[in-house]
Amino acid sequence: MEAQTVTFGTSYEDRGEWAVLRVAGELDLLTSQMLRRRVHDAVADGRHRLVLDLTEVVFCDSSGVGVLIATRRLIRSCQGRLRLILPGPGAAVTSWPGGTGGGGGAHVERVLATLGVRRLFDVHPDVASATASSTASATVSATDEGPDPQPAVARAGGSGADHRERHGL
């Protein structure tokens, strides 16, 4: 049996008060745990304003959507802000090897919309708009989906492992 190659990558950069995590490739059962770990590492480092750039994600299954929803819950528990970058359907993916050229992030947009969870996220078309400090693009309030089932986590204290354990992630 041939070993399956994981087609996935992430990179991280700071943009002022925002941590930008760029995700590329396939976000599926095999790779979603890598994204989950990167998100938890950022939060454990005190980064509670997070942008997930999904423009180069060419495939996303239910486990990937689960990580996005869990990330939203985690960031909200820290009184942080989460923004996603999902370009429109005509955008091209150019830098990821094996990219379709047909707008990878558009696939994630369609999956989130089909599952009815797109409204839960603060979505932007690019990094510049996502990292702009504007009160006009506030995160979704708790009333949009009811109270979070997870208790709020204090900003100070506790390790990243404690944080992950409290949230079952």
Side-chain angles (χ1 to χ4, degrees), residues 129-141:
S129 68
T131 57
S133 292
S134 168
T135 56
S137 57
T139 56
V140 177
S141 68

Side-chain angles (χ1 to χ4, degrees), residues 87-101:
V93 176
T94 56
S95 63
W96 180 253
T100 63

Side-chain angles (χ1 to χ4, degrees), residues 73-121:
R73 184 182 309 128
L74 174 63
I75 294 295
R76 286 181 61 192
S77 75
C78 299
Q79 286 74 49
R81 295 177 76 179
L82 173 66
R83 295 179 178 171
L84 302 183
I85 300 175
L86 295 171
V93 176
T94 56
S95 63
W96 180 253
T100 63
H107 172 77
V108 178
E109 173 84 31
R110 284 189 308 272
V111 170
L112 294 176
T114 300
L115 294 173
V117 296
R118 162 64 175 76
R119 67 178 177 76
L120 299 178
F121 298 98

